[in-house]
Amino acid sequence: MIEPSDFGVFLREKRKKAHLTQDDLALTINKSGQYISNIEKGKNSAPPQSSDIEALIKKLELNDEEARLFKEKAAADRCRLPADQMDYLMKNRKLIDLINYGLDNNISDSCWAEVLAVISGGK
């Protein structure tokens, strides 16, 4: 059985909260309701493009935090980082070294949280 991605689950949740049908949402990006259904069910092999993501965010009336999560989950569905994160990563190449270190040493999320607390001054 195919499991929906985090993006598919998030999309369904926000679509239902906005009281929209799959067809309503699909019209926003000139797609079929089946296209939205496939995303929500984890059957989609062609995730929405960036321009479609922006249109969906507007139609769903997502706040800034929801829009950020929506973009991140959509990018992950395409096995990519959001463009602004990728640009930042490429401009700050030592971050790639840090990620590789984390991968090589199986660094946990709680450890990364400690690192973030140190570099952000405990904010």
Side-chain angles (χ1 to χ4, degrees):
M1 182 172 159
I2 297 173
E3 293 292 321
S5 66
D6 285 347
F7 177 62
V9 171
F10 196 71
L11 176 62
R12 175 179 283 144
E13 174 189 313
K14 297 305 175 186
R15 177 182 60 77
K16 287 185 174 188
K17 183 180 175 189
H19 306 287
L20 296 168
T21 66
Q22 292 171 335
D23 288 330
D24 293 336
L25 196 55
L27 286 173
T28 304
I29 56 173
N30 298 315
K31 304 279 187 194
S32 68
Q34 186 62 51
Y35 176 79
I36 299 297
S37 175
N38 286 345
I39 293 172
E40 291 179 357
K41 291 179 181 176
K43 296 180 180 180
N44 189 36
S45 60
Q49 298 300 311
S50 296
S51 59
D52 292 342
I53 294 298
E54 293 298 329
L56 292 171
I57 287 169
K58 186 175 180 179
K59 181 71 172 181
L60 293 167
E61 299 180 358
L62 301 181
N63 64 37
D64 289 344
E65 178 62 17
E66 291 170 327
R68 184 188 62 77
L69 282 171
F70 194 78
K71 288 176 186 178
E72 287 178 3
K73 290 175 185 294
D77 221 32
R78 294 188 310 267
C79 298
R80 296 185 179 139
L81 288 173
D84 59 338
Q85 290 179 359
M86 182 57 80
D87 289 345
Y88 187 81
L89 189 61
M90 297 313 294
K91 289 176 186 169
N92 297 278
R93 302 286 302 180
K94 285 295 176 186
L95 286 170
I96 294 172
D97 294 340
L98 190 61
I99 291 168
N100 286 329
Y101 179 85
L103 288 168
D104 292 343
N105 294 282
N106 199 28
I107 302 298
S108 68
D109 192 52
S110 61
C111 184
W112 287 121
E114 291 176 28
V115 169
L116 183 58
V118 168
I119 63 174
S120 66
K123 296 178 187 174

